């Protein structure tokens, strides 16, 4: 009924009170987490399956008394990124005990479990992070109704609605990388030492960081 009203009236319906009540149950301070992965038909790394998504990058935004703080990692060498990335992720969240926000629980939860199996010396710490994951997407699907979403509550569509207010965005130029496939292609270019490896690195960091900042 709420979705029908949003379409018929041509305006947004946001149940902010119900949303706030749900959010208040998540322990603070919050962190947000986003992975970027590469999935090769012919596995690049020992023990990987064909098309297995291998994390090569993460971005974390933490709540701190002085405001949001970003911690990030992008693996820049051709060797297996999982050991170094896992160590940096555990380090990034070592002083954080609150909820870890993600958008679409299954993706980050699966990657953390796969990392725990691939890097057994950090399995306990990685699974502890997985246990603290909370999913923002179902809350928005239940409490945000906007005809411009066209039936999809994907992070980039929701963010686009917010970015219509200029004060909510500090992006001055559009990103070349706009989805996960483009991120994989940019990372492949970075590993292959293409014509603009520094540009690939900067764009990957900006893309992943924007997703974790959006949460």
């Amino acid at each position: 009924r709420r979705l029908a009203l949003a379409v018929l009236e041509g305006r947004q319906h946001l149940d902010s009170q119900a949303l706030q009540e749900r959010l208040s149950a998540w322990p603070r301070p919050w962190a947000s987490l986003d992975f970027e992965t590469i999935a090769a038909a012919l596995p690049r790394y020992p023990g990987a399956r064909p098309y297995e998504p291998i994390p090569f990058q993460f971005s974390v935004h933490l709540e701190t008394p002085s405001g949001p703080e970003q911690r990030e990692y992008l693996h820049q060498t051709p060797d297996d990124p999982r050991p170094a990335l896992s160590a940096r992720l555990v380090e990034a969240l070592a002083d954080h005990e609150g909820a870890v926000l993600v958008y679409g629980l299954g993706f980050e939860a699966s990657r953390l479990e796969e990392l725990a199996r691939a890097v057994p010396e950090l399995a306990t710490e990685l699974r502890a992070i997985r246990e603290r994951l909370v999913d923002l997407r179902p809350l928005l699907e239940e409490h945000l109704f906007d005809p411009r979403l066209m039936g999809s509550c994907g992070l980039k569509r929701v963010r686009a609605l917010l970015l219509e207010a200029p004060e909510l965005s500090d992006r001055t130029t559009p990103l070349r990388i706009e989805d996960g496939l483009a991120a994989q292609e940019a990372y492949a270019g970075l590993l292959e030492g293409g014509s603009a490896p520094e540009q690939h690195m900067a764009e990957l960091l900006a893309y992943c960081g924007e997703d974790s900042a959006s949460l």
Side-chain angles (χ1 to χ4, degrees), residues 47-122:
R49 305 183 308 275
Y51 295 110
E52 178 181 352
I54 303 293
F56 62 83
Q57 177 182 10
F58 73 79
S59 177
V60 166
H61 275 80
L62 298 166
E63 282 187 327
T64 73
S66 57
E69 175 186 330
Q70 185 186 15
R71 300 174 185 177
E72 59 186 349
Y73 178 74
L74 171 60
H75 197 73
Q76 300 175 42
T77 54
D79 58 317
D80 189 342
R82 292 173 292 183
L85 180 141
S86 297
R88 291 292 294 271
L89 179 60
V90 169
E91 179 184 356
L93 292 170
D95 56 354
H96 176 266
E97 297 181 353
V100 179
L101 281 61
V102 296
Y103 204 83
L105 181 63
F107 182 78
E108 268 76 23
S110 296
R111 303 295 79 76
L112 284 165
E113 177 57 32
E114 289 160 2
L115 287 172
R117 293 197 294 266
V119 191
E121 62 270 24
L122 292 174

Side-chain angles (χ1 to χ4, degrees), residues 121-136:
E121 62 270 24
L122 292 174
T124 298
E125 293 87 345
L126 292 165
R127 287 180 173 130
I129 295 172
R130 186 194 62 188
E131 293 302 312
R132 291 193 281 130
L133 297 183
V134 292
D135 193 354
L136 188 59

